[in-house]
Amino acid sequence: MTTVPSVNWSYPTAVRFGAGRIKELAAVVKLAGMKRPLLVTDPGLAKLPMTAAMLDLLKADGIEAAVFSDVKPNPVDSNISAGVAAYKAGGHDGVIAVGGGSGLDAGKLIAFMSGQTRPIWDFEDIGDWYTRADPAGIAPIVAVPTTAGTGSEVGRAGVVTNEETHTKKVIFHPKMLPAYVICDPELTTGMPRMITVGTGMDALAHCLEALCSPFYHPMSEGIAVEGARLALENLPRVAANGQDLVARGHMMSAGAMGAVAFQKGLGAIHALSHPVGALYDTHHGMTNAVFMPYVLKFNRSAIEAKIERLAGFCGIKGGFDGFLEHILKMRADLGVPHTIGGLGVDDAKRDLIADMAIVDPTAGGNPVELTRDAALAIFDAALSGEL
């Protein structure tokens, strides 16, 4: 680097971290200025005792909340439209977003769109499109993650699938960042093992891609390194024992850290995972986990020195090759499929996936240019299992 770079940096919001801190939900909601919040979550979580307990905590403090849970695992635009309609019909004044990536993203997008007059696609994360939004029309948000991976609780964007084009779009606005976050690892202990694995691998993918992104952001790069270490050390622990609160806490930290770090950039793991998820409705984190080693190998020429340093920091011997072997073994131990065929993906939409990958917003952060031929090569490797 021969000149001092000129860049914009942003760091996250107020986070209340610790076991049992969900008990502070009512206080946090009041601090955010809400009196009649809409709690947005997914259908599965809406039926669980933890959601009823949250509503009871709010009611005991004089806060009447309604629940909206018409949210798909990969939220679509009609979910957001229905949520905005429920928000307006109920006269709500803020959103409590609860869940994994789907509940958190949907909640944030409902809060964002509650006071907008333009279509949601006008606010895609392209250039300064976010300036088209009316900031006064964005409702306050409190986020309560129940998984450890997406990091959406500390993000300023939401991912939503366009049902007409079957493409995932990133909608961005600085005020989409939740005003308060409650990270309570006790809320994650009931996660099914494979959701724990998928979301945990998502956190690791965020950290790895942020670290490898060529853009200049040393603070995010440092956070990515420690986030990766936490994920590598603790994901096997929580997969083996879902009641390990210490490891659950470390994974919640890794998830949030990955999302903070990836403002530095993401890359081909996500650029390929997004179209596959949109077209085949696969779990986002698990899709990232499958693509991970193939993208690491593709990027090797540009990232070898960074991965060697990361491996040393994490106590993994053998440099890049040792790190890649560690990832492969960890995936196998955790039950991650070695190929995308294990996720039900075939080659029928191979060309379309490549076309979508190279224009995905994350593609530009890959340290090696993601051309169409490169996207096809990575996809074919992930389909055949050849490294």
Side-chain angles (χ1 to χ4, degrees):
M1 187 178 297
T2 57
T3 60
V4 177
S6 176
V7 293
N8 297 326
W9 290 336
S10 176
Y11 274 78
T13 189
V15 179
R16 298 192 179 199
F17 182 96
R21 298 203 69 176
I22 192 61
K23 294 175 183 176
E24 301 171 34
L25 179 61
V28 164
V29 165
K30 286 183 176 180
L31 283 173
M34 302 182 204
K35 295 180 179 179
R36 187 173 171 76
L38 179 67
L39 191 152
V40 178
T41 190
D42 63 67
L45 277 174
K47 299 173 185 176
L48 293 182
M50 76 166 72
T51 302
M54 290 182 206
L55 295 173
D56 288 343
L57 284 169
L58 295 169
K59 190 172 183 179
D61 216 336
I63 300 170
E64 291 290 340
V67 176
F68 176 81
S69 61
D70 184 13
V71 177
K72 289 187 175 183
N74 290 301
V76 296
D77 47 278
S78 62
N79 296 153
I80 309 307
S81 298
V84 170
Y87 183 93
K88 292 179 177 178
H92 297 289
D93 57 4
V95 168
I96 304 170
V98 178
S102 58
L104 295 175
D105 278 8
K108 288 160 59 180
L109 289 167
I110 289 167
F112 171 68
M113 288 300 296
S114 65
Q116 307 304 320
T117 56
R118 301 177 66 145
I120 192 170
W121 313 123
D122 284 2
F123 310 112
E124 189 177 349
D125 189 12
I126 298 174
D128 65 352
W129 283 20
Y130 75 92
T131 61
R132 299 169 170 177
D134 176 8
I138 304 173
I141 306 162
V142 168
V144 182
T146 61
T147 65
T150 70
S152 183
E153 66 271 13
V154 293
R156 300 168 297 158
V159 178
V160 60
T161 298
N162 184 319
E163 291 172 284
E164 288 188 10
T165 62
H166 299 287
T167 54
K168 284 192 173 184
K169 299 291 186 179
V170 179
I171 309 300
F172 168 84
H173 195 281
K175 287 191 69 175
M176 215 184 298
L177 180 69
Y180 296 92
V181 179
I182 295 179
C183 283
D184 185 341
E186 289 183 352
L187 300 181
T188 69
T189 58
M191 269 197 297
R193 183 179 184 276
M194 291 315 294
I195 299 297
T196 294
V197 171
T199 55
M201 290 299 291
D202 194 23
L204 178 59
H206 292 159
C207 292
L208 287 179
E209 291 211 290
L211 171 65
C212 295
S213 167
F215 303 126
Y216 183 74
H217 203 323
M219 289 187 287
S220 281
E221 191 157 319
I223 290 171
V225 169
E226 176 64 2
R229 182 190 72 81
L230 288 173
L232 287 165
E233 292 183 3
N234 290 281
L235 182 52
R237 287 177 58 184
V238 294
N241 176 13
Q243 300 303 311
D244 186 337
L245 269 183
V246 173
R248 286 285 192 190
H250 287 320
M251 285 307 301
M252 289 201 92
S253 292
M257 292 166 77
V260 173
F262 72 53
Q263 63 183 285
K264 178 175 179 277
L266 288 169
I269 294 175
H270 279 76
L272 284 157
S273 180
H274 283 157
V276 167
L279 294 169
Y280 288 88
D281 206 25
T282 57
H283 184 275
H284 173 66
M286 195 63 76
T287 313
N288 282 342
V290 174
F291 276 117
M292 186 178 292
Y294 306 102
V295 172
L296 285 172
K297 184 178 180 183
F298 171 78
N299 287 333
R300 180 170 186 162
S301 62
I303 67 174
E304 187 160 4
K306 284 186 176 182
I307 295 299
E308 286 181 352
R309 289 198 299 270
L310 176 63
F313 179 70
C314 295
I316 298 170
K317 297 179 180 179
F320 183 94
D321 289 323
F323 187 85
L324 185 60
E325 285 300 318
H326 186 91
I327 293 295
L328 290 168
K329 183 180 185 305
M330 186 173 80
R331 287 194 328 160
D333 291 345
L334 294 173
V336 175
H338 183 57
T339 70
I340 52 176
L343 300 177
V345 178
D346 55 25
D347 63 356
K349 298 177 181 178
R350 169 181 178 268
D351 291 337
L352 176 58
I353 288 168
D355 289 338
M356 293 168 69
I358 60 175
V359 297
D360 190 87
T362 62
N366 202 63
V368 177
E369 183 183 2
L370 188 65
T371 63
R372 189 175 188 276
D373 286 344
L376 287 170
I378 297 170
F379 179 87
D380 289 344
L383 190 62
S384 68
E386 295 181 11
L387 277 165

